[in-house]
Amino acid sequence: IDRTGLVRVNWVLNTLGILALGGSLLLIGWRNASWLATCAWMSRAVPGPYASPDEITSFSGTYALAAAAVVLWCALLRGRQKSLQSGLLGAGSLILVLAAELLRQPIGGTAAAALLTLAVVHLPLRDISRRRKLLTAAVSIVALCLFLFAGRGVVAMRYWTFGIAPSPIASSHGISHNLFIGLGAVPNKWGIKWSDEFAIAMVKAKDPSIRYGSPDYYRAIFRIYLRTVLTDPQEALRIYWQKLRLSLVATLPGLVEWSGWAGAILLYMGCLAGGFRFACHSSGRSESGGRGSAFLGLTLLQGGFLMQGTLAAPWGGYLYPANWMWVVLGLLLAAQAADYARVRAREREPGKLAH
């Protein structure tokens, strides 16, 4: 496949991801918001930040797949479906998590973490059978295993299918490498640089026999990272705080310019608080259909996505899908607030009649 073909592949991935997200929002009951969100994201995100054969162009679609997995998961958590429907929702959610993880491991991992968090938070609140709770917990564990072992499983299948000898190089990009060079994404007292060559040189200085990309390399660079951070934890916290602010600037430039980075943090905390309130209020209510949980899940997913910029590099090329998720969250917040107000009004009506 040539470069033009890769551009088309990225466009197809983006389109499929955005349609999956729109369909999941429609399934859970956000009719108007689903169409608006799909059109808003589709209008700019399909070609990515620019037409390119690079994988970065497909991050919009991958992030949308992860978001769709979270929404389907919340539709499962409401616990009011028949067994077949629950099985389809659970399978669909896990397939989307697997797809996101194989396309972009950090995004798939963020989705798996959001699914597990939602299960822990909401299962005690749900008025469903113990059997259903155990089933949901089991599916949550499967989601975590998919994140941890999917990449290795695909590589192992390739070795077996084509008779290829296993490679000594790790099958996935170790997080320890990015944690270390991530300290160099902003100026720092240690002189660390955001550079593969810099990290390789640090490891080679300790043991020249260690090969880049091998399990020994990732263990060695993680030890160097820990030693570096522990020499001055205050400097490490300063670096991460600065990268969090830069991540917010990259994804909410207009708001940060108007209100400062504190306004962006308050916006996220407001979405998180609203998500918890909506989720707890809609617990067990069939008319809410898990939408409160879905809003909370997407807010958690957005926070996890922004953590990539905080821990690694706070650059728009990695974080640009978060711009469109802010738009989706805004649309869903308006829809969920209206739904919440209607439910509260109905709850107060009997009291008014009694008086």
Side-chain angles (χ1 to χ4, degrees):
I1 186 170
D2 58 12
R3 293 173 62 87
T4 303
L6 289 174
V7 171
R8 294 194 182 106
V9 168
N10 288 335
W11 283 26
V12 170
L13 287 174
N14 286 338
T15 302
L16 292 176
I18 296 166
L19 290 177
L21 176 58
S24 66
L25 295 176
L26 185 63
L27 176 67
I28 207 169
W30 272 316
R31 294 178 179 85
N32 295 330
S34 67
W35 293 110
L36 291 172
T38 302
C39 292
W41 203 328
M42 191 80 74
S43 64
R44 295 291 300 276
V46 168
Y50 46 84
S52 168
D54 193 86
E55 65 169 345
I56 197 172
T57 309
S58 66
F59 285 178
S60 287
T62 305
Y63 192 34
L65 287 174
V70 170
V71 177
L72 291 181
W73 184 244
C74 292
L76 172 66
L77 284 180
R78 62 186 172 183
R80 296 187 175 274
Q81 306 87 11
K82 296 180 180 179
S83 297
L84 178 59
Q85 293 173 324
S86 297
L88 291 175
L89 288 172
S93 181
L94 292 181
I95 289 172
L96 291 176
V97 169
L98 176 61
E101 197 274 338
L102 292 176
L103 289 169
R104 178 69 174 171
Q105 191 175 25
I107 296 178
T110 301
L115 265 59
L116 290 169
T117 303
L118 286 167
V120 170
V121 169
H122 289 289
L123 281 183
L125 301 175
R126 296 295 174 187
D127 184 19
I128 56 178
S129 67
R130 182 179 180 183
R131 179 181 176 185
R132 182 66 64 84
K133 289 183 178 182
L134 290 174
L135 175 62
T136 307
V139 176
S140 303
I141 295 173
V142 172
L144 178 62
C145 292
L146 285 175
F147 164 61
L148 294 176
F149 304 113
R152 299 177 187 177
V154 170
V155 173
M157 186 178 297
R158 183 188 67 180
Y159 292 153
W160 178 78
T161 302
F162 298 102
I164 302 174
S167 170
I169 304 300
S171 60
S172 62
H173 197 302
I175 189 174
S176 55
H177 177 81
N178 277 4
L179 282 174
F180 178 71
I181 63 175
L183 295 172
V186 296
N188 60 90
K189 63 174 289 186
W190 298 299
I192 298 172
K193 300 176 182 179
W194 175 264
S195 165
D196 293 337
E197 289 75 16
F198 185 91
I200 294 169
M202 292 292 293
V203 173
K204 291 290 187 181
K206 299 290 183 180
D207 187 346
S209 66
I210 294 179
R211 185 178 181 182
Y212 173 66
S214 66
D216 288 339
Y217 171 84
Y218 288 119
R219 284 191 288 266
I221 198 65
F222 185 65
R223 289 193 294 269
I224 294 173
Y225 165 76
L226 283 182
R227 284 199 296 268
T228 301
V229 169
L230 291 177
T231 59
D232 193 343
Q234 186 175 356
E235 171 70 359
L237 289 175
R238 182 196 67 79
I239 291 171
Y240 288 130
W241 178 245
Q242 184 176 351
K243 290 198 292 183
L244 173 60
R245 292 166 60 180
L246 292 174
S247 298
L248 293 171
V249 171
T251 59
L252 285 169
L255 179 62
V256 172
E257 182 178 353
W258 176 67
S259 64
W261 55 265
I265 292 179
L266 288 175
L267 171 65
Y268 180 77
M269 296 305 295
C271 288
L272 194 61
F276 273 108
R277 179 57 178 160
F278 295 148
C280 292
H281 187 263
S282 65
S283 177
R285 298 176 183 273
S286 59
E287 69 270 16
S288 296
R291 292 191 293 274
S293 301
F295 182 82
L296 173 62
L298 292 176
T299 303
L300 292 171
L301 182 70
Q302 180 79 333
F305 188 80
L306 292 174
M307 285 304 296
Q308 297 180 63
T310 303
L311 295 175
W315 298 334
Y318 295 113
L319 299 175
Y320 74 90
N323 298 48
W324 302 111
M325 183 55 73
W326 285 122
V327 176
V328 173
L329 286 175
L331 292 170
L332 300 185
L333 178 62
Q336 193 61 25
D339 181 63
Y340 176 78
R342 285 193 298 269
V343 173
R344 293 291 293 174
R346 287 199 299 269
E347 289 176 345
R348 288 193 295 266
E349 284 177 1
K352 290 181 179 179
L353 293 175
H355 288 290

